[in-house]
Amino acid sequence: MTIKSKPSVLYIPWDNPVHDDDAWKTLNDNFALVVYDFNTVDEYMEELKKPNHGKIGHIDAICRSTWLKSSPYIHHYILRDEAVQLIPDSCKIITQSGHGYDIVDVDYLTSRGIVFCNSPNSCSRATADVGVYLILSAFRYLTFAEHCLRTPGEYYDSQIISNIAEDPNGKTLGIIGLGDI
């Protein structure tokens, strides 16, 4: 009888992990996690160039459990340029939290048969909320008003807003290209 080992996943953490305890237990029960702990992308690439890909090994997947702009690996673009070309042939899927994939060479991954997954609807409502705020801010000069309120001695500078701000009531807004929002 042959015992099959658990699939190996290169796990890229962030400095403020928020995990559902049951999901985290399931992940650890079903996968062998190799934690990404490299100081630089160059250090990561050097590890991949070692025999059998060094401590990374022949991973089956890569999981970046946070959005692209989270510390401590905010500038570790391992899914493009030379770094993406060093991903072991054993890797079949890459998951990444967040909307964007602008720092991912999806065409290259596809050519290698590696599936790339992100979470495009993870913050659609929050993005829509910010969009509404920005529209109202453009009419009401809210950013300038807040600046005047928060900056000592500048409170009365906000008086000009009453002469330049507009009421959005009755205006027509054209929306182009909001995607799923």
Side-chain angles (χ1 to χ4, degrees), residues 67-69 77 79-81 96-107 116 118:
W67 67 317
L68 302 176
K69 298 171 185 78
Y77 305 129
L79 301 177
R80 70 176 189 194
D81 303 325
Q96 180 171 278
S97 178
H99 273 47
Y101 54 92
D102 52 320
I103 64 166
V104 179
D105 190 341
V106 176
D107 291 337
F116 175 76
N118 63 351

Side-chain angles (χ1 to χ4, degrees), residues 55-66:
K55 70 178 184 178
I56 296 170
H58 295 281
I59 55 172
D60 298 289
I62 297 173
C63 174
R64 187 173 194 147
S65 65
T66 182

Side-chain angles (χ1 to χ4, degrees), residues 10-113:
L10 178 61
Y11 177 74
I12 305 169
W14 65 307
D15 56 5
N16 188 23
V18 180
H19 299 290
D20 174 80
D21 291 337
D22 292 334
W24 186 244
K25 181 181 181 322
T26 299
L27 182 68
N28 281 278
D29 287 348
N30 293 290
F31 300 94
L33 298 184
V34 178
V35 178
Y36 181 100
D37 62 354
F38 301 98
N39 293 316
T40 66
V41 174
D42 288 336
E43 186 180 311
Y44 163 74
M45 291 190 308
E46 287 305 314
E47 192 69 25
L48 284 171
K49 291 175 184 176
K50 291 179 180 177
N52 294 313
H53 309 293
K55 70 178 184 178
I56 296 170
H58 295 281
I59 55 172
D60 298 289
I62 297 173
C63 174
R64 187 173 194 147
S65 65
T66 182
W67 67 317
L68 302 176
K69 298 171 185 78
S70 296
S71 295
Y73 304 114
I74 189 169
H75 297 293
H76 286 225
Y77 305 129
I78 65 167
L79 301 177
R80 70 176 189 194
D81 303 325
E82 181 184 358
V84 75
Q85 296 173 18
L86 296 172
I87 293 173
D89 291 337
S90 56
C91 186
K92 299 300 175 204
I93 187 168
I94 297 172
T95 64
Q96 180 171 278
S97 178
H99 273 47
Y101 54 92
D102 52 320
I103 64 166
V104 179
D105 190 341
V106 176
D107 291 337
Y108 179 78
L109 293 174
T110 301
S111 76
R112 293 250 326 257

